C-alpha cells in the first residue's frame, strides 16, 4: 500500500520567487524542474530527504502556465499555499482501485504522467477530509534531472 509522503504540492504565483524563499530560508535546493503542458504548470521539486523505501520526499512548487489550469483556478480561489499531499506507492493502479473500493472517488480513469516521469492519480478532496490527495508511483531512476 502507501509507503511514504512523496511530496506536498504548494501552489504559487511566482515559481522563481518561491524557490528563492525556500532556498534562502530553509536551504532547500531544486532537485528537478519541468513544465507539465497537460496540467498547465511549471514546477520545481525540492528534495527534503530520502525515505526507507528507496524513494524521497519533496516539496513540489507549482506555478500555473495558463489561466484555465486547475492550479490557476485554485490560486484564484484560495491564494498561495498547500494545494495537495501525495503518497508514494509501488502500485498506483492497484492502490487506486483498492481505495475506490472503499468509496473514495478517484479522479482519473487511468493514471497519468506526473513529475519526473512518475505515474499519478488524484483522490477527490470531498472524500478525503477536504484534502486533495495524490497517489504516486515513481519512475525508475535514470540519473537525469
Amino acid at each position: 500500500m502507501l509507503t511514504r509522503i512523496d511530496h506536498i504540492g504548494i501552489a504559487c504565483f511566482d515559481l522563481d520567487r518561491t524557490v528563492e524563499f525556500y532556498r534562502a530560508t530553509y536551504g532547500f535546493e531544486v532537485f528537478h524542474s519541468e513544465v507539465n503542458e497537460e496540467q498547465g504548470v511549471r514546477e520545481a521539486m525540492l528534495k527534503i530527504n530520502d525515505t526507507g523505501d528507496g524513494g524521497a520526499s519533496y516539496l513540489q512548487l507549482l506555478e500555473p502556465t495558463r489561466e484555465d489550469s486547475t492550479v490557476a483556478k485554485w490560486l484564484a480561489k484560495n491564494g498561495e499555499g498547500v494545494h495537495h499531499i501525495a503518497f508514494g506507492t509501488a502500485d498506483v493502479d492497484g492502490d487506486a482501485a483498492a481505495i475506490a473500493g472503499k468509496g473514495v472517488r478517484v479522479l482519473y480513469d487511468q493514471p497519468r504522467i506526473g513529475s519526473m516521469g512518475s505515474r499519478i492519480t488524484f483522490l477527490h478532496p470531498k472524500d478525503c477530509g477536504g484534502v486533495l490527495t495524490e497517489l504516486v508511483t515513481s519512475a525508475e531512476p535514470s540519473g537525469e534531472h
Side-chain angles (χ1 to χ4, degrees):
M1 198 74 179
L2 308 179
T3 60
R4 69 184 179 282
I5 294 176
D6 186 84
H7 65 272
I8 307 289
I10 300 173
C12 62
F13 292 110
D14 183 332
L15 184 65
D16 297 327
R17 181 182 55 78
T18 306
V19 164
E20 183 52 34
F21 169 81
Y22 281 95
R23 178 181 294 122
T25 306
Y26 305 113
F28 298 150
E29 295 293 335
V30 174
F31 179 80
H32 175 85
S33 61
E34 68 182 80
V35 173
N36 185 317
E37 297 292 346
E38 180 184 4
Q39 294 181 18
V41 295
R42 185 169 75 107
E43 64 180 76
M45 298 293 276
L46 310 180
K47 188 174 181 180
I48 307 306
N49 66 306
D50 293 314
T51 58
D53 66 349
S57 290
Y58 303 90
L59 289 180
Q60 179 187 46
L61 307 178
L62 300 160
E63 175 192 77
T65 58
R66 57 178 201 264
E67 291 182 21
D68 68 339
S69 73
T70 303
V71 171
K73 292 173 187 176
W74 189 91
L75 277 166
K77 180 179 178 182
N78 300 291
E80 293 183 308
V82 175
H83 179 262
H84 68 275
I85 186 168
F87 295 108
T89 172
D91 181 8
V92 69
D93 300 274
D95 285 342
I99 291 168
K102 296 176 181 178
V104 175
R105 288 173 282 179
V106 177
L107 298 183
Y108 301 155
D109 291 333
Q110 296 293 320
R112 297 182 182 179
I113 300 300
S115 299
M116 301 185 288
S118 61
R119 297 183 67 242
I120 65 167
T121 196
F122 285 89
L123 308 177
H124 200 294
K126 288 186 178 176
D127 298 340
C128 300
V131 178
L132 180 61
T133 303
E134 182 179 2
L135 304 179
V136 178
T137 296
S138 298
E140 293 298 317
S142 67
E144 295 180 26
H145 302 290

